[in-house]
């Protein structure tokens, strides 16, 4: 055991008689205080800078944003309400295309998420309208602070940087999307309820005959016995609640846009029942759409006159 | 069993006295450094918001495009039909309320923009707005053939009723016609007769089309 340092007041003259150098040294090394006498490395110093030859951190918020920068859309998306499906005929070729009709309803930007405050850039968008008496006070304050009416649906759209932050209170019309461009549409799919293994996971079911008794659609074995551990492995596919999860349909073409009726016509089908809310944003797997300058200038002109 | 060593104890009490005085010193120090809290202005954002007990201002919603079009699918369909069927001939032909319209069981002839015309017994009419289609059944070389046609498709040039069913079919879908017992067989002869009759009545242009059909029939 290390000898005890003299700490008793009785063994030394009073402190006011002693210079600082004679005062007892209190040990600052040890398991309790960490053995290293170096400056803690958590703070950036000249040794852990990029120039020090050390690899840059790949698990920092900044690194995460840099990784995502390639796939994050440059501008915000929109919230639509799925109204149903119909078809469009190309008058020249006569080709029929099944399409989904979405309606945008009083879309406005409610808030921004910024790198400084929240760690990422996103645009919070609200759609529809809700009576103020049905909105909690805190949420109402959120809407009032943004200068918009209370919204029925609120969603966030991540964007790459602050250039993609559309001004708070600005409304998003169907002509935000360009006819012919591609979008990603995401919605909560239709809920199927409690479903068996055949429908939920595509199990083959069991034989109709050969002595099968009242087990035609049940799942077979749920795993091996003693040699395999005599247990059901986590994640085993079994009957249960099916549907209701978010489904993203990538690269959906925008066939038509109708500003007067607030319609966006998408090619093909989109997950979810009629009346469900659908998030659409520029497709990440296609080149970003080229926004004609005219749209922006016309909008500005309209604003100036209004 | 009280111990009788009180005379030796007073020296030991020095420790506690010193400790006490040290604490006293700390207290006096903290008292002397007493300072008034800085009066910093509250953040502007807090002040700008009204107090909780006041009613928040509620902004009115912007004008809604959705309110202008409550049933967008219907509107969209009508817009499309105005382009695809400007005379509303097709709509009337297959409308439920039209007693003169085509019904299941009738023999229909569909003329296409590119390709041979197809005739057959209509065994199903699927009414779905712009997606409305008909299912025609016929026999070509004694093989049953069924074809779906979208009535508003730009590829469909015309739809003609060749022969009506004498008695109204009592089913919406005449799928029983697929059974050999009920199969009407080939409607080629009926269509041929119809086209000859029409050729006699109509202009030369129509007769040309009939001739084409005839040639195919005689093969």
């Amino acid at each position: 055991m290390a000898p005890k340092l003299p700490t008793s007041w009785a063994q030394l003259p009073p402190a006011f008689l002693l210079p600082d150098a004679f005062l007892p040294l209190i040990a600052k090394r040890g398991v309790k205080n960490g053995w290293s006498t170096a400056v803690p490395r958590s703070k950036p110093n000249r040794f852990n800078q990029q120039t020090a030859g050390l690899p840059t951190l790949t698990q920092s918020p900044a690194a995460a944003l840099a990784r995502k920068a390639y796939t994050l859309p440059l501008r915000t998306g929109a919230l639509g309400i799925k109204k149903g499906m119909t078809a469009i005929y190309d008058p020249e070729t006569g080709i029929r295309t099944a399409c989904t009709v979405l309606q945008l309803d009083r879309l406005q930007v409610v808030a921004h998420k910024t790198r400084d405050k929240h760690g990422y850039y996103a645009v919070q968008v609200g759609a529809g309208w809700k009576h103020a008496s049905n909105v909690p006070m805190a949420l109402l304050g959120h809407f009032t602070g943004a200068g918009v009416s209370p919204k029925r649906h609120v969603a966030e759209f991540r964007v790459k940087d602050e250039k993609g932050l559309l001004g708070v209170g600005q409304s998003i019309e169907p002509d935000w999307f360009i006819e012919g461009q591609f979008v990603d549409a995401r919605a909560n799919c239709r809920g199927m309820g409690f479903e068996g293994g055949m429908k939920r996971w595509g199990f083959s079911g069991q034989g109709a005959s050969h002595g099968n008794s009242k087990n035609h659609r049940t799942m077979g074995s749920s795993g091996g016995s003693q040699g395999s551990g005599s247990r059901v492995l986590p994640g085993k596919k079994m009957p249960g609640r099916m549907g209701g999860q978010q489904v993203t349909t990538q690269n959906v073409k925008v066939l038509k846009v109708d500003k007067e009726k607030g319609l966006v016509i998408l090619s093909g089908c989109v997950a979810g029942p009629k009346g469900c809310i659908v998030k659409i944003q520029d497709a990440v797997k296609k080149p970003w759409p080229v926004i004609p300058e005219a749209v922006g200038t016309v909008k500005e002109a309209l604003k100036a006159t209004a | 069993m009280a111990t009788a060593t009180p005379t030796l104890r007073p020296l030991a009490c020095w420790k506690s006295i010193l400790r006490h005085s040290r604490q006293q010193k700390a207290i006096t120090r903290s008292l002397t450094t007493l300072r008034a809290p800085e009066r910093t202005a509250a953040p502007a954002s807090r002040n700008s918001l009204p107090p909780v007990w006041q009613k928040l201002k509620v902004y009115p919603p912007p004008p809604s495009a959705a309110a202008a079009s409550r049933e967008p699918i219907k509107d969209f369909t009508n817009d499309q039909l105005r382009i695809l069927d400007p005379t509303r001939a097709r709509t009337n032909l297959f409308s439920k309320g039209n007693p003169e319209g085509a019904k299941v069981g009738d023999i229909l002839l569909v003329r296409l923009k590119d390709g041979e015309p197809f005739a057959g017994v209509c065994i199903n009419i699927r009414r779905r707005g712009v997606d409305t289609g008909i299912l025609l059944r016929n026999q070509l070389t004694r093989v049953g053939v069924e074809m779906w046609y979208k009535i508003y498709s730009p590829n469909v040039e015309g739809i003609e009723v060749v022969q009506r069913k004498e008695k109204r079919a009592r089913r919406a879908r005449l799928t029983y016609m697929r059974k050999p017992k009920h199969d009407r067989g080939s409607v080629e002869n009926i269509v041929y007769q119809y086209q000859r009759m029409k050729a006699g009545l109509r202009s030369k242009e129509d007769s040309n089309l009939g001739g084409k059909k005839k040639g195919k029939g005689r093969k």
Side-chain angles (χ1 to χ4, degrees):
Chain A
M1 198 175 170
K4 222 177 166 186
L5 288 162
T7 48
S8 169
W9 63 276
Q11 293 177 17
L12 277 171
F16 60 88
L17 288 178
L18 281 173
D20 283 357
F22 290 175
L23 279 174
L25 283 168
I26 309 295
K28 281 289 181 192
R29 292 182 70 212
V31 177
K32 231 193 266 176
N33 303 306
W35 286 107
S36 172
T37 52
V39 184
R41 290 193 62 182
S42 59
K43 278 183 189 167
N45 59 25
R46 71 193 170 96
F47 296 113
N48 61 3
Q49 296 293 313
Q50 276 190 324
T51 50
L54 291 170
T56 42
L57 292 174
T58 54
Q59 288 175 332
S60 62
L65 276 181
R67 274 200 304 275
K68 281 226 126 194
Y70 182 61
T71 47
L72 279 177
L74 304 180
R75 55 180 200 152
T76 176
L79 278 179
I81 293 163
K82 181 170 165 182
K83 287 292 176 182
M85 286 191 72
T86 177
I88 283 185
Y89 288 101
D90 186 358
E92 276 105 51
T93 58
I95 291 170
R96 172 182 169 278
T97 316
C99 59
T100 306
V101 179
L102 303 185
Q103 195 167 38
L104 311 191
D105 185 15
R106 291 165 281 190
L107 264 186
Q108 273 177 312
V109 176
V110 176
H112 290 160
K113 295 283 167 90
T114 55
R115 173 84 174 85
D116 300 337
K117 212 169 175 189
H118 309 96
Y120 60 98
Y121 290 107
V123 180
Q124 196 185 60
V125 167
W129 178 76
K130 209 173 177 184
H131 197 275
S133 66
N134 262 338
V135 182
M137 208 58 161
L139 197 53
L140 197 61
H142 180 59
F143 291 125
T144 301
V148 298
S149 62
K151 297 290 178 189
R152 169 75 57 184
H153 310 285
V154 173
E156 242 181 54
F157 290 98
R158 282 197 69 172
V159 290
K160 191 179 167 191
D161 48 21
E162 69 270 20
K163 274 177 263 170
L165 298 176
L166 192 68
V168 170
Q170 286 220 36
S171 52
I172 299 167
E173 304 288 342
D175 58 1
W176 181 255
F177 299 102
I178 298 143
E179 285 180 15
Q181 83 159 95
F182 289 89
V183 293
D184 290 340
R186 46 184 52 176
N188 286 344
C189 80
R190 198 164 57 92
M192 249 66 80
F194 196 100
E195 284 299 344
M198 281 181 75
K199 180 166 174 177
R200 193 176 180 209
W201 301 111
F203 291 166
S204 315
Q206 296 183 30
S209 61
H210 293 299
N212 195 328
S213 170
K214 299 173 181 175
N215 277 304
H216 303 293
R217 292 185 61 88
T218 56
M219 61 181 278
S221 167
S222 59
S225 65
Q226 260 191 324
S228 312
S230 287
R231 68 194 183 103
V232 177
L233 297 171
K236 174 83 196 76
K237 290 172 181 174
M238 282 191 177
R241 289 280 184 91
M242 184 179 171
Q245 83 279 19
Q246 193 188 69
V247 174
T248 308
T249 318
Q250 289 184 323
N251 307 335
V252 186
K253 200 173 186 183
V254 176
L255 295 179
K256 226 171 181 183
V257 154
D258 187 344
K259 199 181 172 188
E260 283 165 31
K261 290 174 186 154
L263 300 186
V264 176
I265 316 288
L266 299 182
S267 163
C269 52
V270 164
K274 278 178 216 166
C276 77
I277 202 92
V278 181
K279 287 172 77 177
I280 44 175
Q281 197 170 14
D282 296 341
V284 295
K285 288 193 178 170
K286 297 274 180 186
W288 304 125
V290 182
I291 314 298
E293 289 293 319
V295 175
T297 49
V298 165
K299 266 186 184 169
E300 278 165 22
L302 280 174
K303 249 191 191 174
T305 51
Chain B
M1 186 179 148
T3 48
T5 50
T7 47
L8 293 176
R9 300 302 293 176
L11 270 179
C13 78
W14 270 100
K15 194 172 178 182
S16 65
I17 287 168
L18 279 170
R19 189 180 289 155
H20 186 72
S21 66
R22 228 178 294 146
Q23 276 171 358
Q24 279 290 327
K25 211 172 158 191
I27 288 165
T28 49
R29 193 186 298 142
S30 73
L31 279 173
T32 51
T33 54
L34 183 79
R35 62 188 178 86
E38 276 179 43
R39 296 214 167 183
T40 49
S45 61
R46 276 215 161 162
N47 276 353
S48 65
L49 283 178
V52 180
W53 58 87
Q54 270 184 27
K55 229 182 159 186
L56 281 170
K57 190 190 171 190
V58 176
Y59 289 88
S64 163
S69 149
R70 287 269 172 219
E71 287 175 326
I73 294 272
K74 220 180 204 175
D75 296 345
F76 186 66
T77 303
N78 289 337
D79 286 352
Q80 287 242 288
L81 290 188
R82 232 165 278 146
I83 301 161
L84 296 168
D85 186 24
T87 58
R88 295 186 62 78
R90 298 277 167 83
T91 312
N92 287 333
L93 184 64
F94 289 99
S95 90
K96 263 186 170 174
N98 182 11
E100 299 294 311
K103 302 273 188 293
V104 285
D106 295 351
I107 295 172
L108 302 183
L109 173 72
V110 175
R111 282 184 285 113
L112 300 170
K113 225 172 226 171
D114 41 356
E116 297 280 323
F118 186 86
V121 185
C122 179
I123 62 171
N124 189 358
I125 301 174
R126 186 190 277 165
R127 294 188 177 86
R128 299 280 190 286
V130 79
D131 248 349
T132 302
I134 50 172
L135 180 58
L136 304 184
R137 183 180 169 84
N138 195 1
Q139 274 195 352
L140 301 177
T141 63
R142 289 190 195 167
V143 177
V145 175
E146 286 185 12
M147 292 291 284
W148 272 107
Y149 287 105
K150 299 283 180 188
I151 64 165
Y152 295 114
S153 168
N155 286 342
V156 172
E157 211 170 54
I159 301 174
E160 293 167 31
V161 181
V162 174
Q163 193 187 52
R164 286 182 199 285
K165 201 173 189 233
E166 316 88 62
K167 245 174 96 182
R168 179 181 65 84
R170 300 177 81 161
R171 304 279 180 278
R173 279 168 276 281
L174 311 183
T175 45
Y176 61 81
M177 280 206 175
R178 289 169 184 160
K179 288 180 183 170
K181 187 183 163 191
H182 299 283
D183 203 345
R184 295 260 293 263
S186 173
V187 296
E188 199 182 333
N189 290 335
I190 303 165
V191 175
Y192 177 52
Q193 269 185 10
Y194 164 78
Q195 280 175 335
R196 245 189 1 186
M197 189 186 74
K198 212 174 86 172
L201 292 173
R202 291 266 175 99
S203 67
K204 209 176 175 184
E205 202 179 32
D206 275 352
S207 69
N208 278 346
L209 194 79
K212 242 194 250 168
K213 177 73 186 174
K214 192 173 93 183
K216 194 208 167 200
R218 284 281 162 87
K219 187 166 61 175

